[in-house]
Amino acid sequence: MPAATLDVVAIGNAIVDVLARSDDAFLAQHALTKGGMQLIDAAMAETLYADMPQAKEISGGSAANTLAGLAALGKKCGFIGQVNDDQLGAVFAHDVHALGIRFDTPVMHGEVPTARCLILVTPDAQRTMNTFLGASQFLPEAAVDFDLIRSAKILYLEGYLWDPEQPRAAMRAAIDAARGAGRKVAFTLSDNFVIDRHRADFIDLIDNGQIDILFSNEGEIQSLAQIDDFEKALARFADKVPVLVSTRSEKGAVAIVDGVRHQAPAAPVGQIVDTTGAGDLFAAGFLAAHIDGRSVEDALALGAAAAAEVISHWGARPEADLGVIRDALFA
């Protein structure tokens, strides 16, 4: 196959985040599970948005956030995701293009608006996400640029998007295209609710050797394994995924690469402001170091540093220069 021209192409939800400060009473009033993520319909999206305190709009989406981090670290990236031909869709496309990320997926026309995630951040920096998937959940296989996928070293898939039927079929086809081109496939489990609905699918992908790099957090890997013990859950998949990565918040992160365990502490943070995007940016740092051929310890350290940067401010996209952070880390 020809040499790759891009580092990472990701398929994910094309979402605009709407962030507001909140308190526990507001969460209780709307029967929201603190720290979790739930899918909501258009009616609830309108009701919740109307009741939210003053908010800030920032382009988001888990995989897109990871690409933002990768682009900030100098990687060449492409994104596949669907927006509507509306105002938020234009905002999302502008933000992705401004990062130097290739984004050519045809827009959706009609009444289904661009996806948005209503995020409530409590004083303890926990984020409660309420996601209306909108146009992103109707991404069809026909909209996927398979040549773009074949051109990248790594195909990165967002677990959240496995839920709707059309994007799930599109991602299955994308896996086939990437593997057929000899490229690596990275997958992030995203959330326990996704795992609960699609555990059999995810385990099947792992058992059949279709995932080269698996990202999770402590709760997600335990949920996938259905084992309430972190070490035993890791062991369940350690010999089935070449690179298995799991974050553990303040306890740092663990990676098992070709059967060898590595771990690193969390990076120091002056003040935790908003944990939105921590896992997304960890994946960005880890993948950037991995692509550069650095050690697993370096990959974990850069992942931790990128996560620490993003949780020190509002929003899930980096604000500080990640390249400067990387250079200081590896000096």
Side-chain angles (χ1 to χ4, degrees):
M1 292 296 297
T5 55
L6 295 178
D7 293 303
V8 180
V9 167
I11 302 178
N13 282 306
I15 296 178
V16 176
D17 291 340
V18 181
L19 296 99
R21 297 186 186 278
S22 176
D23 55 23
D24 290 346
F26 185 89
L27 302 184
Q29 176 188 347
H30 292 274
L32 305 177
T33 302
K34 183 176 180 177
M37 198 287 271
Q38 67 169 338
L39 296 178
I40 59 175
D41 58 20
M44 184 170 180
E46 290 181 8
T47 299
L48 189 58
Y49 181 74
D51 288 351
M52 285 174 69
Q54 183 176 357
K56 180 179 182 181
E57 294 179 351
I58 309 171
S59 291
S62 176
N65 293 337
T66 296
L67 291 187
L70 282 161
L73 288 164
K75 300 308 167 197
K76 296 179 180 178
C77 302
F79 179 71
I80 296 171
Q82 186 166 252
V83 298
N84 196 309
D85 185 19
D86 57 16
Q87 183 177 356
L88 286 184
V91 167
F92 182 90
H94 172 271
D95 289 350
V96 172
H97 289 143
L99 294 168
I101 296 169
R102 183 171 167 182
F103 175 44
D104 306 317
T105 310
V107 298
M108 181 181 189
H109 299 278
E111 297 182 358
V112 182
T114 295
R116 71 284 315 269
C117 183
L118 309 180
I119 304 175
L120 297 156
V121 184
T122 42
D124 58 2
Q126 285 293 308
R127 82 282 184 273
T128 301
M129 300 188 294
N130 306 276
T131 305
F132 171 57
L133 289 174
S136 67
Q137 67 185 314
F138 298 104
L139 174 72
E141 183 178 334
V144 175
D145 184 341
F146 292 105
D147 286 336
L148 185 69
I149 288 168
R150 296 183 189 99
S151 74
K153 296 174 184 175
I154 297 173
L155 169 66
Y156 182 84
L157 300 175
E158 177 184 322
Y160 283 129
L161 202 56
W162 200 264
D163 225 34
E165 181 179 353
Q166 285 182 281
R168 184 165 64 249
M171 287 195 284
R172 286 191 183 279
I175 291 172
D176 290 342
R179 300 204 70 81
R183 309 308 190 191
K184 292 182 178 180
V185 176
F187 194 97
T188 177
L189 291 173
S190 293
D191 198 278
N192 286 354
F193 88 94
V194 178
I195 297 167
D196 287 342
R197 287 203 277 271
H198 302 287
R199 182 178 290 104
D201 273 358
F202 295 164
I203 290 177
D204 183 65
L205 290 173
I206 292 168
D207 287 346
N208 288 314
Q210 293 184 284
I211 296 176
D212 301 288
I213 305 170
L214 181 67
F215 289 99
S216 68
N217 63 29
E218 185 172 7
E220 290 161 2
I221 198 68
Q222 290 177 188
S223 175
L224 185 66
Q226 294 185 290
I227 299 172
D228 192 23
D229 180 285
F230 178 66
E231 297 299 336
K232 291 180 180 178
L234 280 180
R236 164 76 172 79
F237 303 107
D239 62 346
K240 296 186 177 184
V241 180
V243 180
L244 175 61
V245 185
S246 192
T247 58
R248 308 185 74 190
S249 299
E250 71 280 359
K251 291 180 283 187
V254 174
I256 299 179
V257 179
D258 296 327
V260 179
R261 180 193 173 99
H262 309 261
Q263 63 185 58
V269 183
Q271 180 182 7
I272 300 175
V273 175
D274 171 20
T275 56
T276 309
D280 304 333
L281 268 294
F282 180 92
F286 186 95
L287 286 174
H290 179 76
I291 290 166
D292 287 341
R294 289 190 172 272
S295 68
V296 180
E297 287 76 15
D298 281 354
L300 288 169
L302 186 54
E309 189 284 331
V310 83
I311 65 175
S312 68
H313 57 76
W314 271 48
R317 302 279 174 93
E319 292 183 356
D321 189 329
L322 293 186
V324 171
I325 292 173
R326 174 200 56 208
D327 294 345
L329 186 66
F330 297 146

